[in-house]
Amino acid sequence: MDYKGLSAAQYIKMSKDGDIDITDFYTRLNCELNTLQKKNNYFVTIVENTDVSVDKNTKLAGLPISAKDCICTKGVQSTAGSKILKGYIPPFDATVIARAKKEDGVLIGKTVQDEFGFGTFSTNSAYGIPKNPHDSSRSCGGSSGGAAGLTAALDMPHIAFGQSTGGSISCPSSFCGVVGLTPTYGRISRYGLIDYANSLDKIGPIGKCVDDVRLLYDIASGYDPLDMTTIKEEDKRDNKFDIDGLKLAIPKEYFPPDIDASVKKIVLDAIDKMKSLGAEISECSLPHTKYSIPAYYIIAMAEASTNLAKYCGMRYGMEENPDGKHFDEYFSDIRGRYLGDEVKRRIILGTYTRMAGYRDQYYLKAMKVRRLIIDDYKKAFKKFDALLAPTMPFIAPKFTEIEKLTPLECYNADILTGAPNLAGIPMLSLPCGKSKGMPVGLHILSDHMREDMVLNIGKAFEKAQ
Ligand code: GLN
């Protein structure tokens, strides 16, 4: 039997009906994954599943699930894309993995990412660079590039777990033409996530369609006693899939002057489509957007620089013989050799912004700006149900173009994803057209706890395509 083109929902139904030969399915899947790996490098580690048994009463019934490499998986190496964690095999599963496994989701591998999530193009990985399935000379986006590339390229049922701090689910979903949900901060447990910046990190699903993403979101989300930042509030799910009468707005700051003209046109056409489906479309303003990149990078780097202190060649991953070395000398030597350039840059900048003497000027100021950005959204969501924007201001760039970018230009690429991530609001990126043969993403943002809203709007749009 050919399993190509099956959606996750179709696979689950067939599996429950006893129409899937699970051994045959996983033999084919292993073969596909190895071929894709050789071609496009989506994995740090592939898990060869040879002995899968399925309980038909579970929600995933044997469905393949991948996890970004920063999500801890019991017995399977988890490096967060860094050489310093090479060989680190967690003795436990992250909550999202435990929840997926409980429903008979099957872990098929750990996907490539920018080292510790530091990047927008997945070019800062210590395990090779994933290639965009639509054009291998272009980036998958970052930092969950392997997750989105795999989701787009694998023509068999599968859903991925990605992770976002400042746009790492939305950006690669947009560049690879798949659907990515970044949930409200705290909606999905971060227990077992190798942190980038604790006040910003979110785990979220990436799938081929809105239903796939919703399925994994439902399983992974909800209060977790192991993560005290998880939210107890229930989902407001109504499954209306109807946008008739909804009040949607276009933030004028989300179409910056240097946005790619064809991306702008495709997104505005998609918004027109929403109008024809009955939504009321207005313009709004989020005036503090222009401060989002400096505020985001100051906060993210400050938190990252403390989180990374634990990687010193003693507790996790890389370990060498420290005999004869002072501890400082040993730590510096290991960190010097096994952390990448971008990681070092962020440790230095992050440490600087929270030093006594600079703290008020940078870190505390950035926290105040974060509050103003949240207030902008809160004001907008008093009037509107959701906001619509391009996910990224351009299509997936070529690697030759990325090489020429300065670090600052790379940071500025997050101009549309930084603010919603700082605010911790839910957002859905879904494909809405193509420019030069490459996918363009539409970003749907809503208020805290309104995953139902972004999913319903996304589903209504997808159905109308
Ligand atoms: N590009 C952003 C950064 O480098 C976001 C990355 C992420 O969300 N992990 O920080």
Side-chain angles (χ1 to χ4, degrees):
M1 153 153 204
D2 190 3
Y3 306 100
K4 298 217 159 145
L6 279 185
S7 72
Q10 284 165 329
Y11 166 88
I12 291 166
K13 178 164 187 324
M14 286 175 71
S15 176
K16 282 178 183 284
D17 292 346
D19 294 335
I20 299 272
D21 174 344
I22 200 79
T23 310
D24 180 48
F25 177 84
Y26 273 93
T27 310
R28 275 164 195 260
L29 183 77
N30 289 340
C31 180
E32 281 292 310
L33 297 182
N34 283 301
T35 312
L36 274 180
Q37 178 63 4
K38 277 197 201 105
K39 206 167 132 214
N40 286 342
N41 193 54
Y42 295 134
F43 290 99
V44 178
T45 309
I46 293 181
V47 178
E48 298 263 340
N49 290 289
T50 46
D51 198 12
V52 182
S53 64
V54 169
D55 174 353
K56 290 180 183 130
N57 296 316
T58 54
K59 287 187 185 142
L60 295 172
L63 185 79
I65 301 289
S66 67
K68 186 173 177 177
D69 207 32
C70 56
I71 299 171
C72 285
T73 44
K74 188 174 177 177
V76 178
Q77 178 181 249
S78 303
T79 71
S82 182
K83 240 191 239 163
I84 209 159
L85 280 173
K86 197 172 166 61
Y88 170 58
I89 298 181
F92 69 107
D93 274 324
T95 294
V96 293
I97 300 296
R99 288 186 179 176
K101 282 185 180 170
K102 200 163 157 232
E103 297 297 343
D104 265 5
V106 176
L107 181 72
I108 59 166
K110 306 298 299 291
T111 50
V112 167
Q113 60 166 102
D114 284 302
E115 189 170 359
F116 291 111
F118 300 165
T120 305
F121 305 111
S122 289
T123 47
N124 299 330
S125 156
Y127 298 89
I129 298 171
K131 293 184 189 137
N132 195 300
H134 302 274
D135 174 353
S136 60
S137 69
R138 292 178 187 270
S139 161
C140 281
S143 61
S144 312
L150 173 68
T151 305
L154 180 63
D155 197 13
M156 286 180 78
H158 148 258
I159 313 177
F161 275 121
Q163 173 273 350
S164 173
T165 308
S168 282
I169 292 176
S170 291
C171 161
S173 297
S174 163
F175 286 174
C176 294
V178 291
V179 182
L181 173 70
T182 309
T184 305
Y185 175 80
R187 182 66 109 173
I188 292 186
S189 168
R190 289 179 296 114
Y191 177 74
L193 176 68
I194 300 174
D195 312 295
Y196 168 171
N198 311 51
S199 80
L200 290 154
D201 294 343
K202 283 89 53 183
I203 296 177
I206 298 179
K208 274 209 167 79
C209 58
V210 175
D211 282 345
D212 285 8
V213 156
R214 183 192 296 258
L215 175 70
L216 200 56
Y217 165 71
D218 279 344
I219 289 167
S221 59
Y223 175 70
D224 175 13
L226 297 173
D227 174 359
M228 64 201 180
T229 62
T230 47
I231 301 161
K232 284 205 169 116
E233 196 178 316
E234 288 289 312
D235 232 312
K236 297 191 178 69
R237 186 67 46 86
D238 66 3
N239 287 339
K240 237 176 9 125
F241 308 140
D242 183 4
I243 58 176
D244 196 18
L246 285 187
K247 291 189 174 66
L248 308 181
I250 311 171
K252 65 172 196 266
E253 293 79 4
Y254 284 36
F255 286 85
D258 55 351
I259 186 172
D260 179 286
S262 101
V263 167
K264 179 174 175 181
K265 182 173 181 317
I266 289 165
V267 172
L268 288 175
D269 286 350
I271 294 175
D272 269 348
K273 180 83 163 251
M274 297 278 193
K275 205 169 172 178
S276 70
L277 295 173
E280 208 178 283
I281 312 278
S282 323
E283 201 180 79
C284 74
S285 173
L286 301 168
H288 297 94
T289 302
K290 56 179 177 291
Y291 306 117
S292 61
I293 291 295
Y296 165 75
Y297 274 96
I298 287 171
I299 295 168
M301 290 185 194
E303 292 185 26
S305 66
T306 70
N307 280 327
L308 294 179
K310 60 184 169 284
Y311 305 117
C312 58
M314 275 180 67
R315 297 190 188 94
Y316 313 95
M318 275 301 172
E319 209 174 322
E320 290 178 3
N321 186 356
D323 282 356
K325 284 185 184 149
H326 188 266
F327 73 88
D328 256 359
E329 209 185 327
Y330 174 71
F331 292 171
S332 305
D333 180 38
I334 290 269
R335 286 162 72 83
R337 280 186 292 126
Y338 297 121
L339 293 176
D341 289 348
E342 184 58 28
V343 178
K344 289 175 191 158
R345 179 178 295 116
R346 293 188 185 211
I347 291 174
I348 293 168
L349 288 171
T351 308
Y352 180 83
T353 59
R354 59 186 172 79
M355 266 163 66
Y358 295 111
R359 196 174 296 151
D360 289 3
Q361 208 177 329
Y362 295 108
Y363 181 71
L364 291 177
K365 199 161 179 187
M367 294 295 275
K368 288 178 189 164
V369 171
R370 183 181 199 174
R371 181 73 247 169
L372 295 173
I373 288 171
I374 296 173
D375 290 347
D376 276 358
Y377 284 117
K378 286 291 175 198
K379 240 189 248 165
F381 291 129
K382 276 207 179 111
K383 277 167 79 182
F384 304 109
D385 296 302
L387 305 175
L388 303 173
T391 305
M392 294 297 288
F394 43 77
I395 55 167
K398 295 199 163 163
F399 294 117
T400 48
E401 295 165 336
I402 296 167
E403 276 163 20
K404 292 186 202 130
L405 296 177
T406 63
L408 200 58
E409 283 169 332
C410 288
Y411 302 162
N412 280 329
D414 297 345
I415 179 73
L416 303 180
T417 54
N421 274 278
L422 264 180
I425 56 172
M427 62 203 98
L428 185 79
S429 178
L430 80 168
C432 66
K434 279 193 169 176
S435 163
K436 295 188 193 132
M438 297 304 291
V440 172
L442 171 70
H443 221 190
I444 306 169
L445 321 174
S446 193
D447 202 358
H448 293 123
M449 315 305 292
R450 296 311 307 266
E451 282 81 0
D452 64 318
M453 183 64 76
V454 298
L455 287 166
N456 282 351
I457 297 172
K459 176 74 186 177
F461 179 78
E462 191 181 76
K463 256 178 35 194
Q465 288 285 69

